[in-house]
Amino acid sequence: MAFPKEAFLTHNWQMGEASGTRADLVGGMTLTDNNTVGSAAGLVYPLAANLIAANSEYLSHADDASLRIVGATTFEVWARWTSGTNAPLFCKRGATNEYESGYYSGYGGMYLDVLSGGSLSSARSPLVPVSGTWYHLVMWYDPADRKARIAVNGGAVAAGAALPGAPNVSAAAFAICRDLAAYWNGDIGPARMWNTLLDAADRTALYNGGAGLAYPSTSTPTLSIYGAKFGHKQVAHGGGMRYGDAS
């Protein structure tokens, strides 16, 4: 099976390490291990990152243009939630808030929030996760209508309101499984980003009937060194969240 939009894949964190830093096999953005992130049995790969909220465990990288939302941007992650009412996944939030995603009980399910000024595009899936179950999240921002969107397990697409302008550009660190004082409790992996949109067929391929899709797949892989893909034009895209809510 060909890997969807491979030429536009900017980051691919397999999360297959037993501990320590997590390598980005495409973009070179190795994630820092904060507070000793462990591992557990994975779904797509043998191992996934295991995070314990009580220990304030998370993964992060300093601000980089490729981790911002500028133009079309897609996030994908397999995640197994264990507990907690506020469980963040991809976040870029600090003095200026750009985006945030995860599970929030106040929203009633999984979500992606993208901010422009003080305005919020909040895409909310009604799916409430069941503890110990793997879920496939694809979340994206479409600059054509300036809306955030989310689809869980290859299902229906939920969209947020249109933003009045481009998303905020935040110098905050990129974090996986941390939003200020909130942390994900459970397992994740793989986690990926594209600087393009994925269509329904792409999302179905990545979900793969609930088994996920490894990268590279059975298609001929493209040699990638720190985000520069030989044979493809790779364009860096650079430059959420319950606005004002730190919990």
Side-chain angles (χ1 to χ4, degrees):
M1 181 185 295
F3 194 84
K5 303 293 194 301
E6 182 178 354
F8 300 93
L9 183 67
T10 54
H11 302 289
N12 177 43
W13 298 283
Q14 181 173 308
M15 304 292 184
E17 296 88 347
S19 61
T21 59
R22 267 58 175 186
D24 177 358
L25 303 182
V26 171
M29 297 288 161
T30 298
L31 299 174
T32 298
D33 171 5
N34 299 277
N35 301 318
T36 317
V37 175
S39 60
L43 177 73
V44 181
Y45 299 103
L47 293 180
N50 171 258
L51 299 105
I52 300 173
N55 296 340
S56 302
E57 297 174 10
Y58 68 102
L59 300 164
S60 64
H61 194 284
D63 175 42
D64 185 83
S66 68
L67 301 171
R68 301 173 187 164
I69 294 180
V70 173
T73 304
T74 300
F75 305 89
E76 181 216 3
V77 65
W78 278 95
R80 178 164 56 189
W81 172 85
T82 302
S83 64
T85 58
N86 181 7
L89 288 169
F90 296 92
C91 297
K92 210 162 186 300
R93 189 175 180 190
T96 300
N97 296 324
E98 188 171 340
Y99 60 83
E100 177 190 359
S101 62
Y103 165 63
Y104 178 47
S105 61
Y107 280 177
M110 304 290 199
Y111 70 97
L112 169 64
D113 284 355
V114 180
L115 273 174
S116 176
S119 298
L120 178 68
S121 181
S122 184
R124 305 177 186 180
S125 166
L127 188 147
V128 177
V130 175
S131 180
T133 300
W134 282 102
Y135 293 96
H136 181 239
L137 285 74
V138 180
M139 304 164 286
W140 64 99
Y141 172 76
D142 187 346
D145 59 10
R146 301 193 299 275
K147 290 182 179 181
R149 288 178 169 83
I150 184 172
V152 180
N153 290 349
V157 175
L163 292 174
N168 294 337
V169 176
S170 175
F174 171 77
I176 292 183
C177 298
R178 176 180 182 260
D179 165 28
L180 301 181
Y183 300 87
W184 179 267
N185 206 45
D187 311 316
I188 64 161
R192 301 171 176 133
M193 289 178 67
W194 285 256
N195 62 1
T196 192
L197 303 179
L198 303 181
D199 60 26
D202 295 330
R203 298 192 297 271
T204 297
L206 290 167
Y207 182 57
N208 195 23
L213 189 63
Y215 175 84
S217 62
T218 54
S219 63
T220 302
T222 309
L223 179 61
S224 173
I225 300 177
Y226 299 106
K229 292 191 173 184
F230 293 89
H232 293 289
K233 181 180 180 182
Q234 187 74 21
V235 181
H237 77 299
M241 65 215 77
R242 294 165 312 287
Y243 184 59
D245 178 6
S247 63

PDB file of all heavy atoms in Angstrom, residues 15 86 93 95 132 148 156 166 172 189 226:
ATOM      1  N   MET A  15       7.943   6.609  17.671  1.00  0.00           N
ATOM      2  CA  MET A  15       7.762   6.368  19.109  1.00  0.00           C
ATOM      3  C   MET A  15       8.103   4.931  19.483  1.00  0.00           C
ATOM      4  O   MET A  15       7.578   4.383  20.447  1.00  0.00           O
ATOM      5  CB  MET A  15       6.315   6.686  19.547  1.00  0.00           C
ATOM      6  CG  MET A  15       5.847   8.089  19.234  1.00  0.00           C
ATOM      7  SD  MET A  15       6.706   9.337  20.203  1.00  0.00           S
ATOM      8  CE  MET A  15       5.848  10.827  19.674  1.00  0.00           C
ATOM      9  N   ASN A  86      -8.632  16.082  30.910  1.00  0.00           N
ATOM     10  CA  ASN A  86      -7.964  17.027  30.009  1.00  0.00           C
ATOM     11  C   ASN A  86      -6.656  16.374  29.584  1.00  0.00           C
ATOM     12  O   ASN A  86      -5.684  16.352  30.336  1.00  0.00           O
ATOM     13  CB  ASN A  86      -7.714  18.354  30.716  1.00  0.00           C
ATOM     14  CG  ASN A  86      -7.051  19.370  29.802  1.00  0.00           C
ATOM     15  OD1 ASN A  86      -6.886  19.152  28.601  1.00  0.00           O
ATOM     16  ND2 ASN A  86      -6.647  20.491  30.369  1.00  0.00           N
ATOM     17  N   ARG A  93       1.586  26.122  22.685  1.00  0.00           N
ATOM     18  CA  ARG A  93       0.851  27.064  23.527  1.00  0.00           C
ATOM     19  C   ARG A  93       1.792  27.687  24.541  1.00  0.00           C
ATOM     20  O   ARG A  93       2.565  26.984  25.204  1.00  0.00           O
ATOM     21  CB  ARG A  93      -0.282  26.323  24.240  1.00  0.00           C
ATOM     22  CG  ARG A  93      -1.240  27.225  24.964  1.00  0.00           C
ATOM     23  CD  ARG A  93      -2.392  26.429  25.525  1.00  0.00           C
ATOM     24  NE  ARG A  93      -3.312  27.284  26.233  1.00  0.00           N
ATOM     25  CZ  ARG A  93      -4.309  26.851  26.985  1.00  0.00           C
ATOM     26  NH1 ARG A  93      -4.513  25.568  27.132  1.00  0.00           N
ATOM     27  NH2 ARG A  93      -5.106  27.692  27.595  1.00  0.00           N
ATOM     28  N   ALA A  95       3.082  32.117  25.615  1.00  0.00           N
ATOM     29  CA  ALA A  95       2.701  33.529  25.658  1.00  0.00           C
ATOM     30  C   ALA A  95       1.724  33.839  24.528  1.00  0.00           C
ATOM     31  O   ALA A  95       0.798  34.628  24.676  1.00  0.00           O
ATOM     32  CB  ALA A  95       3.945  34.401  25.561  1.00  0.00           C
ATOM     33  N   GLY A 132      -7.981   2.392  27.591  1.00  0.00           N
ATOM     34  CA  GLY A 132      -7.293   1.217  27.090  1.00  0.00           C
ATOM     35  C   GLY A 132      -7.531   0.894  25.631  1.00  0.00           C
ATOM     36  O   GLY A 132      -7.037  -0.119  25.136  1.00  0.00           O
ATOM     37  N   ALA A 148     -10.391  24.545  11.319  1.00  0.00           N
ATOM     38  CA  ALA A 148      -9.788  23.325  11.865  1.00  0.00           C
ATOM     39  C   ALA A 148     -10.779  22.184  11.677  1.00  0.00           C
ATOM     40  O   ALA A 148     -11.996  22.380  11.739  1.00  0.00           O
ATOM     41  CB  ALA A 148      -9.485  23.514  13.347  1.00  0.00           C
ATOM     42  N   ALA A 156     -16.612  10.360  10.511  1.00  0.00           N
ATOM     43  CA  ALA A 156     -17.122  11.650  10.052  1.00  0.00           C
ATOM     44  C   ALA A 156     -16.173  12.780  10.427  1.00  0.00           C
ATOM     45  O   ALA A 156     -15.492  12.732  11.458  1.00  0.00           O
ATOM     46  CB  ALA A 156     -18.499  11.904  10.654  1.00  0.00           C
ATOM     47  N   ALA A 166      -5.105  34.428   9.441  1.00  0.00           N
ATOM     48  CA  ALA A 166      -4.176  33.304   9.561  1.00  0.00           C
ATOM     49  C   ALA A 166      -3.971  32.926  11.021  1.00  0.00           C
ATOM     50  O   ALA A 166      -4.141  33.757  11.926  1.00  0.00           O
ATOM     51  CB  ALA A 166      -2.844  33.675   8.925  1.00  0.00           C
ATOM     52  N   ALA A 172       6.379  29.434  21.186  1.00  0.00           N
ATOM     53  CA  ALA A 172       6.354  28.423  22.239  1.00  0.00           C
ATOM     54  C   ALA A 172       6.926  27.108  21.729  1.00  0.00           C
ATOM     55  O   ALA A 172       6.883  26.805  20.534  1.00  0.00           O
ATOM     56  CB  ALA A 172       4.927  28.206  22.731  1.00  0.00           C
ATOM     57  N   GLY A 189       1.647   6.705  19.541  1.00  0.00           N
ATOM     58  CA  GLY A 189       2.631   6.346  18.530  1.00  0.00           C
ATOM     59  C   GLY A 189       2.024   5.481  17.435  1.00  0.00           C
ATOM     60  O   GLY A 189       1.233   4.576  17.734  1.00  0.00           O
ATOM     61  N   TYR A 226      17.009  15.010   7.483  1.00  0.00           N
ATOM     62  CA  TYR A 226      16.597  16.239   8.157  1.00  0.00           C
ATOM     63  C   TYR A 226      15.582  17.025   7.348  1.00  0.00           C
ATOM     64  O   TYR A 226      15.685  18.228   7.172  1.00  0.00           O
ATOM     65  CB  TYR A 226      17.816  17.096   8.490  1.00  0.00           C
ATOM     66  CG  TYR A 226      18.771  16.386   9.408  1.00  0.00           C
ATOM     67  CD1 TYR A 226      19.966  15.875   8.940  1.00  0.00           C
ATOM     68  CD2 TYR A 226      18.437  16.183  10.754  1.00  0.00           C
ATOM     69  CE1 TYR A 226      20.817  15.182   9.788  1.00  0.00           C
ATOM     70  CE2 TYR A 226      19.288  15.496  11.597  1.00  0.00           C
ATOM     71  CZ  TYR A 226      20.472  15.006  11.120  1.00  0.00           C
ATOM     72  OH  TYR A 226      21.313  14.327  11.952  1.00  0.00           O
TER      73      TYR A 226
END
